[in-house]
Amino acid sequence: MAQMKMLQKMRILEDKGQSYATTQIKDLKVFGGDGDFFHISEAAQTTIKELVMNGLLNPTERGTHRGKHIVTGTVHRVAVYDNQFRLQNIISQTDIIRFLHMNKADLGDMGSKTAAELGWCPRPVVSLGPETSAIEAMLLMNQKQISAVAVVDGVGKIIGNFSISEMRTIMAEHFGALALPVGEFLALEHGTEFQGYSHIHEQEVVQSKGHKFITDRVSRARPRTPGEEVGQALVLVKPNAPFTEILDKIVNHRIHRVYVIDDDEKPCGVVTCTDVLRLVIKATQHQLKVAPTALETAEAQQQDGAGAATAAAAEGAVGAEAVQPEIMDVQADQRQQQQQPQAMAQ
């Protein structure tokens, strides 16, 4: 399809849209899933931490997904139902993020850590050019199992965000629009006209002194706002933005991700709601970790020598790997009772 002319693509997609629209929901091929179910009695006994850990971040451990393979590894919402299978409520990742935001004063030192310190940048960001068709962008998101991609210009500056939510109001007769370049698709969606599609994108040209002189003169005449090319007001942060600022932007702008950009407005990271939840869960697990027994410490020192001290210092990091404290409590007590005579003998 990439080699087809746009009009030909549009006609094919329009035909596909009509046939797809008549497909019943029960006949759709859904791979994975982006939701789970809690009975109201189960929900009443579940803490927020348990909901996040086993309902949103690791759904294969419980509920309808137990033992099943979920492509993305996470879900974004959980439905609560009663004995008559009536829907009582829906709890989403966004709801948990709002709760964290309301209680951000309790985050302590973690709240002041920056995006860079938390490991959210630098890291790869899936991106594409504005000339890529919307249907190809959707295919890329499906392959990468992500819900959005950054749209960047010829030199890598971010100019837009293209997400799966663009499909929310699309009807069968609109499928032809997916043949449009994402730059034009977003601009039309936001009631503007995308001029950048016809711009020169060859690296040798855009990096030339002549091209730089013209673009610099334009930027001096009118400061550029990232996203204006496609009618979007992008919400961005720099690597030194603290965690609380990122929370503010996600909640206040009602968005699901914040791109991290460098001084050249090139995306160098992205923070999603899932990233935030993973961070907080790791932090709470670290706080509840059980100290090793005397015997375990002695064995570690014998095996690793000085490495044991390094490992103990590393446990202070927010991202330290955590083990469920309930299991650790039982195992630690058992080992201490069984091996205390041996340790004393040594």
Side-chain angles (χ1 to χ4, degrees):
M1 181 173 280
Q3 304 302 321
M4 294 181 184
K5 293 183 178 180
M6 188 180 300
L7 184 58
Q8 186 179 6
K9 289 182 183 179
M10 294 183 75
R11 288 174 176 171
I12 292 176
L13 289 169
E14 286 173 358
D15 291 339
K16 292 292 184 181
Q18 293 298 330
S19 61
Y20 179 80
T22 60
T23 305
Q24 295 186 4
I25 294 178
K26 66 180 181 65
D27 296 327
L28 292 176
K29 294 181 180 179
V30 179
F31 299 97
D34 192 17
D36 205 351
F37 297 89
F38 267 80
H39 186 269
I40 193 168
S41 61
E42 182 182 9
Q45 302 176 12
T46 302
T47 65
I48 294 179
K49 179 181 177 181
E50 292 169 339
L51 171 66
V52 173
M53 287 180 59
N54 302 324
L56 299 172
L57 298 184
N58 194 19
T60 55
E61 294 300 315
R62 60 151 308 281
T64 58
H65 295 300
R66 184 183 297 276
K68 296 182 179 180
H69 172 65
I70 296 182
V71 178
T72 60
T74 62
V75 297
H76 290 85
R77 58 196 57 80
V78 170
V80 180
Y81 66 97
D82 61 17
N83 292 333
Q84 285 73 45
F85 301 101
R86 295 174 301 192
L87 184 64
Q88 295 296 310
N89 206 341
I90 295 178
I91 305 173
S92 68
Q93 287 193 7
T94 303
D95 293 323
I96 307 299
I97 298 298
R98 291 196 191 102
F99 175 81
L100 290 173
H101 184 255
M102 290 172 57
N103 297 275
K104 63 181 181 180
D106 298 327
L107 290 174
D109 293 339
M110 184 172 61
S112 61
K113 289 186 177 294
T114 67
E117 291 172 332
L118 294 172
W120 289 332
C121 71
R123 63 178 181 176
V125 177
V126 180
S127 61
L128 44 75
E131 71 281 357
T132 307
S133 69
I135 190 66
E136 290 175 300
M138 293 287 181
L139 176 61
L140 178 62
M141 287 189 284
N142 183 59
Q143 292 171 338
K144 298 291 186 179
Q145 289 302 310
I146 54 178
S147 56
V149 291
V151 183
V152 298
D153 65 10
V155 294
K157 288 187 177 183
I158 189 167
I159 63 172
N161 174 66
F162 186 79
S163 72
I164 196 65
S165 62
E166 317 300 342
M167 294 287 289
R168 282 179 179 170
T169 58
I170 197 168
M171 305 295 289
E173 59 269 24
H174 304 147
F175 266 51
L178 295 174
L180 295 173
V182 291
E184 187 173 348
F185 185 100
L186 291 172
L188 292 174
E189 185 180 37
H190 293 89
T192 187
E193 184 177 354
F194 180 54
Q195 301 293 335
Y197 180 54
S198 60
H199 289 181
I200 298 173
H201 296 291
E202 288 83 354
Q203 288 294 322
E204 293 182 0
V205 176
V206 296
Q207 293 177 357
S208 67
K209 293 182 179 180
H211 187 276
K212 187 175 186 301
F213 169 75
I214 296 298
T215 54
D216 285 352
R217 186 173 66 178
V218 172
S219 64
R220 287 195 298 270
R222 183 178 59 82
R224 171 183 176 272
T225 301
E228 66 178 19
E229 293 90 341
V230 296
Q232 289 182 322
L234 295 178
V235 179
L236 311 168
V237 295
K238 291 294 186 70
N240 61 353
F243 180 36
T244 51
E245 179 184 337
I246 295 173
L247 272 180
D248 288 340
K249 290 183 179 295
I250 290 176
V251 173
N252 295 336
H253 294 275
R254 303 173 64 88
I255 54 179
H256 299 104
R257 68 196 57 80
V258 174
Y259 288 103
V260 185
I261 60 170
D262 60 20
D263 292 336
D264 296 322
E265 296 181 1
K266 297 179 180 179
C268 58
V270 60
V271 185
T272 66
C273 291
T274 300
D275 293 322
V276 171
L277 296 183
R278 283 175 177 158
L279 169 70
V280 174
I281 289 299
K282 283 184 178 180
T284 57
Q285 287 179 324
H286 165 69
Q287 292 170 358
L288 295 174
K289 283 188 68 176
V290 177
T293 63
L295 177 61
E296 290 172 334
T297 302
E299 290 176 345
Q301 290 175 343
Q302 290 176 358
Q303 293 175 1
D304 300 327
T310 303
E315 287 184 356
V318 173
E321 182 175 349
V323 180
Q324 292 187 12
E326 295 83 2
I327 297 176
M328 289 284 289
D329 282 332
V330 175
Q331 293 178 340
D333 291 340
Q334 290 177 344
R335 284 195 297 268
Q336 192 170 18
Q337 292 173 4
Q338 294 173 0
Q339 298 177 348
Q340 188 173 12
Q342 182 181 356
M344 293 176 62
Q346 293 176 350

